Amino acid sequence: MFTSILVPFDGSQGAEAALAEAAELAQLCGAELTLLTVYRHHSLLEASMHMVRPDQPDDLDEIMRGHARQVAERGKALAAEGGVPNPRAFVKAGPVARTITSFAKEHGNDLIVIGSRGLGSLEGVLLGSVSHKVTSLAETPVLVV
C-alpha cells in the first residue's frame, strides 16, 4: 500500500486532524510519516513594518523559521504520541502548495494527507486554498481531511 506519507502541518485544527488520520494510516501500512511545515518569505510590506519596531530582531525570516520549527516539532511530538515510530519533521520556505508537492516528489512520498483548512495567510503557513492547489499539482494521491 503506502510506504511514505507526507503531512503538511501548520498547527491548525485541520492539520491536527490530517495528522491523526495519517498516523493511523502509517501504522496500518507500516509507512514512514514525514511532517512538513512551510513558511512564506516575508513581503516588502512586512519588512517596512519591521522598520518601525526597532526592538524586534532584524531578520523576519529567521523569526518565521523559528516559529515554523516549533510548529513542526509539536507535530512530530503529536505523531509520536499517536504511536508513529520515528516521525520526521522538516521546515521549508517558499510558496506553500508548490513547496509541498515538490518536497513530496523529491522525498518519494507516495501519499500526501492534508487538512482542508489551515491557519490562513496571517499566520503564514497554510492558506485555506492550499489543499485545493496541492490536489491539482501533486503527482501522488492526496487525501484531504
Side-chain angles (χ1 to χ4, degrees):
M1 187 148 237
F2 299 112
T3 61
S4 181
I5 301 172
L6 175 64
V7 182
F9 188 78
D10 67 356
S12 67
Q13 288 180 342
E16 287 186 13
L19 178 57
E21 290 292 327
E24 190 173 328
L25 274 171
Q27 291 173 23
L28 288 171
C29 299
E32 290 184 350
L33 184 69
T34 303
L35 290 90
L36 176 64
T37 300
V38 180
Y39 69 95
R40 292 177 299 139
H41 177 76
H42 72 275
S43 69
L44 292 176
L45 174 63
E46 289 166 324
S48 65
M49 293 299 287
H50 175 70
M51 292 170 29
V52 298
R53 292 183 268 159
D55 57 330
Q56 297 291 322
D58 290 332
D59 188 356
L60 288 178
D61 278 335
E62 187 56 40
I63 293 168
M64 294 170 75
R65 186 178 306 112
H67 176 70
R69 282 187 196 125
Q70 290 175 348
V71 169
E73 287 302 315
R74 182 172 161 270
K76 184 177 173 181
L78 287 172
E81 287 171 15
V84 176
N86 304 315
R88 298 183 307 162
F90 294 86
V91 172
K92 294 278 188 184
V96 182
R98 291 195 183 280
T99 302
I100 292 167
T101 55
S102 64
F103 183 94
K105 185 176 182 178
E106 290 168 14
H107 290 86
N109 300 114
D110 51 12
L111 176 66
I112 299 171
V113 180
I114 189 168
S116 61
R117 294 255 176 216
L119 288 173
S121 61
L122 291 178
E123 283 77 14
V125 183
L126 287 180
L127 301 173
S129 63
V130 168
S131 57
H132 177 72
K133 291 176 188 174
V134 168
T135 59
S136 59
L137 292 172
E139 296 178 11
T140 61
V142 178
L143 172 60
V144 180
V145 177

